[in-house]
Amino acid sequence: MKVFDIALKDLLRSLRNAFFLGFGLGVPLLMGVIFYFAFGGLASEGGFDIPRVDVLVVNLDEPVVEYGGFSAGEMLVGILQSEQLAELLAVTESDSADAARAAVDNQEADVAVIIPAGLSAAVFDPQGQAEVEVYHDPTLTIGPGIVKSIVTQFIDTLAGSKIAAGVAYDQLTEQGATVDGTILQNVAMQYGEWSASLAESQGASVLLAVQSPAGGEEKGNLALAIVGGVMTGMMVFYAFYTGAASALSILQEEEDGTLPRLFTTPTPMSAILGGKLIAVFALVIVQVLVLMAFSSLIFKTAWGAAAPLSMAIVGLVVLAASFGIFVMSWLKDTRQAGVVIGGVMTVLGMVGISSVFTANVPGAAGGFAAILPLFTPQGWAMRAWQLVRDGGTVSDVLLPFAVMIALTVVFFSIGVLRFRKRLA
Amino acid sequence: MRIVDLMIKDLQQLVRNWMTVVFLVLMPIGFTLFFGLIFSGTGGGSDPRLPVAFVDQDGGSVLDTRLLDLLGASDAIRPVVSEESVERVEGKVNDGDLAAAVIVPAGYSEQILRRGSGRVLAEEDVPLTVIVDGGTAAGSTAQTGIQAAVTRLRGAVKVAQLSAEALEAQGGSADESFLVDALDQAIAAWREPPLTVATTQSGAAIEEDEKVSVMASRYGQASPGMMVQFSIAGIIGAAQVIVLERKSRSLRRLLTTAISRVEIILGHYLTMFVMIFAQLALLIGFGQLALGVDYMREPVATLLLAVTMSLWTASLGLLIGVLARTEDQAIIFSMIPMFILSGMGGAWMPLEVTGQAFQTIGHLLPTAWAMDGMQNIIVRGLGLNSVLLAAGIMLAYAVVLFALAVWRFKFE
């Protein structure tokens, strides 16, 4: 029973400790809240609240009188100013390309769309070429991407019509057929109609059958998916902190002299050490369960199926606790522990959960960024939790779970051996 | 002079603790390198485009090879021909090794190019299977790139169909070779379309030097971001010194000497200012020399930002030293604002990717202005005028926080 008394005493002391409450629970929850608000928590319908893009349009194009005053420039301005895009784009017209570029340089606008003088003429001239410029602030990617996508769709329709007329002319001439302007105009118009009908029928997405990896469903709410990932990362990161900080009590009591005094009592050393180790495991369990419950209630985080989730919980708890015991067993005093908890655990933790930061950045996940975390215990824990959250089964989680258990055995054995030797 | 003496004593005390060096210098450098490397997308070697698997189950038929050409011409994605099973490719998309996968189903070409009664039929929507996680930015970008290439392919088929119809309307006959010729001509035209959209970025730094542009895009977020975050982490040690002096009654004992209360407060404040300024100078030097981030293109503007950043952070450190009763509290009181101010100020990720409300709230914080100021220099290539507002706001924060610290300062 003494072993449990010691464990309970240590556990209660940790739970009353402001450091644990602050770092073990407060900070990870705070991170979740920050990311929740960052990615749409303040949006009215819980979706992703993209700010409106400030667009300056400079239309230097001139209508082509021979073709009924056709003006591609005016059409493009009309599309950008249309009601359907009003929630995405705040469009203002400008007369000068230089002034528009200067406005973007001075961050008065996000993007400038500069329509060249000969755009409409280039549509009808077989040799004509034109280039619409999308000029943007280099720190922005989303807004300019949206604008470029809209402009490109329109310009591709015009370019396609032009290409259609050119190809028809060449092919028919080659076959010895008579080609007049009406035939080419007809081909170009039919292409334009096809392109427009494609755009109306939900765009080019009808040409693709999109499915998410692992055959699962698309993530319903991007904001909550991101926050779920962040909460997973925070839980893994701070579980290892807690494991180390909790194991620190062994060094603390040694320094305070309470541990040597305890050895003078009839309590065997195995009971004292065992009690302390149980407290470390119990504290990490409490932390993980509290964070999971909070995240489920507030952020509606879906943690995955019960069986693989249980494996991930067990793996994380035993690995974080044993790693804390292992690390503390190598330190001389609490002064060194401060450096290790503050520095080493932070570095290992940040590397281990780096997928949280790279998940939403194009090109950042995979390769080097996917391999490096696996050199840290946190990286294996993170992998297991991600697999579970992505709908992985027991067999999917088996490898990271096995690695976590193997690491636990190694860390725990070395840590306990060192402490036994030290306290003997 | 007594202020300087007190500062030198504090600095000696801090430098002796190697945790200070870890927090002040090693960790920000390590994280800058780490985030710079992973955000630069090193997986593709010299090609920064997103990798997309191309799985051809249609046996290299007419449209498959042409689709591969069009995908390869994309600015956003690079196709990687894969012989692996769909399940394996799917796993790689799930793991983030691939941004997406395009699966060309068996019979794709034949279905689209089906001919009947001597006419080309290309009206049916035969979809192409794309495996992609649309919930990620990489997935969404890849999907847009694939969509553009497929639209051009289907556009080329439409062009071939229209040409064939025009020929047939004149009594001619469009055979298979006519169709393929027209298709190839249309696809060739799409490689260099007559009407295009060009994207250009503002910023003198980018126009001047392509190498600077590459480094700015790789470290333009990570370098100032980690600088902002770890300048706050750096105040922990100095705040603990104040706590320790109060707990050990050194502050009271100091009052029995010739040094005044104002000099004691200013001495501690100066310690924090010098320490953070030295940290920023080191990190700016590291960014400039090792990472190629051009802070020195506007040295006066960079100096102004470093000074005002140091001033407001030192004021925060002084306030924390005043409010914390124990050393543990000094750590918690420093780390919590570090996380909040860094996260909400755009030090971890560009505020652009967050919602409108978050951006507005973020810009109430000095960290967001520090990021704006630094990025005005290193990414946007702007000059001194562009950092004046940011510097002014940080200075205002410095004054307010310092006033609060002085008001609450207790010597016992």
Side-chain angles (χ1 to χ4, degrees):
Chain A
M1 273 310 285
K2 277 184 180 172
V3 68
F4 291 108
D5 290 340
I6 292 169
L8 189 63
K9 188 269 297 174
D10 265 26
L11 185 62
L12 289 175
R13 196 173 71 163
S14 295
L15 290 174
R16 282 196 292 261
N17 187 313
F19 198 85
F20 170 73
L21 294 174
F23 265 92
L25 300 176
V27 174
L29 293 178
L30 190 66
M31 291 295 97
V33 171
I34 288 177
F35 277 87
Y36 178 67
F37 286 129
F39 294 107
L42 293 179
S44 54
E45 292 170 4
F48 191 77
D49 170 29
I50 298 174
R52 282 216 300 180
V53 186
D54 287 322
V55 183
L56 271 177
V57 186
V58 184
N59 184 11
L60 304 173
D61 189 30
E62 289 152 4
V64 185
V65 182
E66 299 91 318
Y67 290 92
F70 173 82
S71 172
E74 276 178 25
M75 286 171 73
L76 180 53
V77 174
I79 289 170
L80 291 170
Q81 289 181 325
S82 64
E83 273 184 31
Q84 294 99 309
L85 296 176
E87 282 187 14
L88 273 178
L89 311 178
V91 181
T92 313
E93 286 197 70
S94 170
D95 296 332
S96 157
D98 287 341
R101 287 193 194 98
V104 173
D105 288 346
N106 296 326
Q107 296 162 63
E108 291 157 8
D110 299 326
V111 183
V113 176
I114 299 159
I115 304 168
L119 179 64
S120 297
V123 173
F124 297 102
D125 177 359
Q127 305 303 319
Q129 293 197 327
E131 185 177 86
V132 176
E133 182 183 354
V134 175
Y135 184 81
H136 69 89
D137 185 309
T139 62
L140 303 179
T141 53
I142 297 174
I146 292 169
V147 174
K148 191 187 175 191
S149 169
I150 294 164
V151 174
T152 301
Q153 194 175 358
F154 174 74
I155 291 296
D156 270 8
T157 299
L158 294 180
S161 299
K162 202 169 149 61
I163 288 170
V167 170
Y169 176 81
D170 289 348
Q171 294 295 323
L172 265 64
T173 308
E174 205 173 291
Q175 296 292 321
T178 312
V179 187
D180 60 25
T182 317
I183 293 174
L184 298 183
Q185 201 174 340
N186 195 29
V187 167
M189 275 179 62
Q190 284 188 62
Y191 184 90
E193 282 166 12
W194 171 81
S195 186
S197 70
L198 191 67
E200 277 168 20
S201 59
Q202 299 167 20
S205 58
V206 293
L207 303 177
L208 307 178
V210 178
Q211 63 183 62
S212 55
E217 292 174 290
E218 287 280 347
K219 290 182 177 75
N221 187 322
L222 177 59
L224 292 180
I226 291 172
V227 174
V230 170
M231 280 308 292
T232 308
M234 291 299 115
M235 200 164 62
V236 170
F237 185 87
Y238 286 100
F240 280 81
Y241 254 120
T242 302
S246 179
L248 178 65
S249 76
I250 302 173
L251 299 187
Q252 186 70 57
E253 289 214 43
E254 193 183 17
E255 273 176 35
D256 294 347
T258 49
L259 205 55
R261 273 203 293 277
L262 208 55
F263 288 141
T264 63
T265 67
T267 314
M269 193 183 78
S270 58
I272 297 169
L273 196 54
K276 292 204 159 290
L277 298 182
I278 289 171
V280 176
F281 283 96
L283 194 63
V284 181
I285 291 172
V286 168
Q287 181 189 28
V288 168
L289 294 181
V290 168
L291 291 178
M292 281 181 68
F294 183 91
S295 189
S296 300
L297 287 171
I298 306 298
F299 306 130
K300 310 279 186 290
T301 304
W303 292 108
L309 178 62
S310 307
M311 290 164 72
I313 293 174
V314 170
L316 173 61
V317 169
V318 296
L319 182 56
S322 61
F323 188 63
I325 292 161
F326 168 78
V327 169
M328 289 303 137
S329 73
W330 291 90
L331 304 180
K332 284 182 185 169
D333 51 34
T334 53
R335 192 175 170 78
Q336 280 188 348
V339 179
V340 170
I341 292 177
V344 179
M345 297 299 279
T346 302
V347 172
L348 289 176
M350 293 282 271
V351 172
I353 67 159
S354 58
S355 56
V356 170
F357 306 104
T358 58
N360 215 36
V361 180
F368 166 76
I371 295 166
L372 191 64
L374 298 181
F375 287 94
T376 67
Q378 288 91 333
W380 283 102
M382 191 66 197
R383 191 169 181 80
W385 279 84
Q386 276 176 329
L387 285 169
V388 176
R389 288 197 60 245
D390 287 343
T393 60
V394 169
S395 60
D396 294 326
V397 186
L398 208 54
L399 175 64
F401 179 72
V403 174
M404 286 196 287
I405 296 300
L407 288 173
T408 298
V409 171
V410 172
F411 290 141
F412 188 77
S413 306
I414 295 173
V416 169
L417 278 175
R418 287 189 60 84
F419 270 125
R420 287 184 75 92
K421 193 175 164 188
R422 175 181 182 148
L423 301 174
Chain B
M1 205 40 214
R2 290 188 191 111
I3 295 171
V4 176
D5 289 340
L6 187 59
M7 177 199 75
I8 291 169
K9 185 278 298 174
D10 275 2
L11 285 176
Q12 282 175 342
Q13 196 175 340
L14 286 168
V15 171
R16 275 200 295 268
N17 183 354
W18 63 282
M19 188 175 169
T20 309
V21 181
V22 170
F23 266 110
L24 251 58
V25 184
L26 298 183
M27 281 173 65
I29 286 177
F31 281 116
T32 303
L33 287 172
F34 178 64
F35 283 114
L37 281 174
I38 59 177
F39 286 154
S40 64
T42 50
S46 57
D47 190 341
R49 295 176 301 167
L50 297 169
V52 170
F54 184 82
V55 181
D56 187 0
Q57 297 176 334
D58 199 23
S61 58
V62 177
L63 290 187
D64 315 345
T65 48
R66 280 137 186 102
L67 175 61
L68 190 59
D69 279 357
L70 288 167
L71 289 169
S74 167
D75 293 335
I77 54 172
R78 59 183 164 90
V80 180
V81 178
S82 175
E83 303 288 334
E84 293 174 312
S85 68
V86 172
E87 288 73 25
R88 190 149 175 78
V89 167
E90 197 173 1
K92 287 187 173 179
V93 174
N94 206 22
D95 292 344
D97 293 332
L98 293 166
V102 175
I103 317 291
V104 185
Y108 180 71
S109 268
E110 194 187 338
Q111 278 180 285
I112 290 178
L113 297 175
R114 190 147 40 95
R115 289 167 60 89
S117 311
R119 291 177 66 85
V120 180
L121 299 174
E123 301 295 336
E124 288 178 31
D125 287 325
V126 183
L128 196 69
T129 306
V130 173
I131 300 172
V132 64
D133 184 353
T136 66
S140 155
T141 307
Q143 190 176 330
T144 306
I146 294 165
Q147 217 162 274
V150 174
T151 306
R152 288 183 170 187
L153 177 78
R154 297 295 295 269
V157 172
K158 185 71 186 173
V159 168
Q161 179 208 0
L162 291 171
S163 299
E165 284 174 4
L167 181 64
E168 285 163 357
Q170 294 204 34
S173 171
D175 57 11
E176 193 73 33
S177 68
F178 176 90
L179 187 71
V180 173
D181 280 354
L183 188 67
D184 282 341
Q185 197 185 339
I187 286 173
W190 272 122
R191 283 198 202 100
E192 285 184 38
L195 307 176
T196 54
V197 180
T199 309
T200 51
Q201 296 184 354
S202 60
I206 281 154
E207 286 166 16
E208 280 167 10
D209 187 339
E210 196 182 332
K211 190 183 165 200
V212 170
S213 162
V214 171
M215 299 314 277
S217 67
R218 181 178 293 181
Y219 294 106
Q221 171 69 27
S223 175
M226 292 302 107
M227 218 182 271
V228 165
Q229 171 168 342
F230 283 97
S231 64
I232 304 174
I235 59 180
I236 294 175
Q240 283 181 321
V241 168
I242 298 177
V243 173
L244 269 175
E245 285 195 358
R246 194 167 50 244
K247 274 172 70 179
S248 63
R249 298 181 185 275
S250 300
L251 281 176
R252 291 293 294 171
R253 281 202 291 274
L254 269 177
L255 287 178
T256 63
T257 67
I259 194 166
S260 69
R261 286 169 185 256
V262 173
E263 285 173 324
I264 293 171
I265 294 172
L266 285 177
H268 285 306
Y269 182 70
L270 193 59
T271 304
M272 295 191 191
F273 173 80
V274 169
M275 192 182 64
I276 295 159
F277 185 77
Q279 177 198 29
L280 292 179
L282 268 171
L283 295 177
I284 287 170
F286 176 77
Q288 179 78 33
L289 299 173
L291 307 179
V293 181
D294 200 0
Y295 289 100
M296 285 301 113
R297 66 185 313 281
E298 287 290 340
V300 179
T302 302
L303 179 68
L304 181 63
L305 284 177
V307 168
T308 47
M309 269 176 78
S310 306
L311 284 172
W312 90 259
T313 314
S315 295
L316 177 68
L318 192 67
L319 183 62
I320 289 167
V322 168
L323 296 177
R325 291 181 181 177
T326 64
E327 288 167 272
D328 279 357
Q329 278 189 358
I331 296 176
I332 293 171
F333 289 178
S334 304
M335 296 295 260
I336 290 176
M338 181 188 87
F339 286 123
I340 294 175
L341 294 172
S342 306
M344 298 191 73
W348 297 343
M349 65 219 157
L351 284 180
E352 183 217 3
V353 305
T354 66
Q356 179 66 61
F358 192 87
Q359 287 186 26
T360 307
I361 295 169
H363 272 96
L364 297 175
L365 305 174
T367 38
W369 290 99
M371 288 299 295
D372 279 358
M374 287 292 185
Q375 290 190 322
N376 278 350
I377 299 168
I378 61 174
V379 183
R380 297 188 180 98
L382 301 176
L384 180 61
N385 283 341
S386 73
V387 305
L388 292 178
L389 178 62
I393 287 170
M394 286 193 281
L395 195 60
Y397 262 96
V399 171
V400 171
L401 292 171
F402 183 79
L404 279 173
V406 171
W407 175 49
R408 301 294 299 172
F409 204 100
K410 287 178 183 153
F411 286 83
E412 57 182 19

